[in-house]
Amino acid sequence: GLTPLLVEVRDRIDPAQAPQPAYVLVSCRDRIVPFASAMALANALPKTSVQSVNTGHIGMMSSRRAPDLVWAPLTAWLHDLFGGPPAGA
């Protein structure tokens, strides 16, 4: 079976030390994660691609516009990062 993974964080996590690329999706109308908070994280990460969308927190992934606004750019970023067919292929 699957064993739950429990992680205990004892030390502060410094985003500036993250070695991997990050795609940060920022919602301009988010009531859960304010824009300024999301941008603070994005600015702290050393290898960041930032995309902002004019939606709410849930809408950025589940609205009718999500495939064009979010999924296609994210897919293209992943293809650029890891290789593979071009977005839309």
Side-chain angles (χ1 to χ4, degrees), residues 6-80:
L6 300 176
V7 177
E8 182 178 341
V9 178
R10 295 181 185 167
D11 298 318
R12 293 184 83 111
I13 297 171
D14 182 2
Q17 300 302 314
Q20 59 274 63
Y23 187 86
V24 179
L25 182 62
V26 180
S27 169
C28 296
R29 297 186 292 146
D30 200 325
R31 295 182 188 181
I32 298 170
V33 179
F35 181 84
S37 295
M39 287 305 299
L41 174 61
N43 291 331
L45 292 164
K47 299 177 186 175
T48 308
S49 295
V50 178
Q51 179 191 353
S52 62
V53 291
N54 191 21
T55 67
H57 187 86
I58 304 300
M60 67 180 149
M61 295 307 289
S62 63
S63 72
R64 284 182 288 203
R65 300 179 309 155
D68 292 331
L69 288 176
V70 177
W71 303 353
L74 174 58
T75 300
W77 182 80
L78 289 168
H79 284 301
D80 287 346

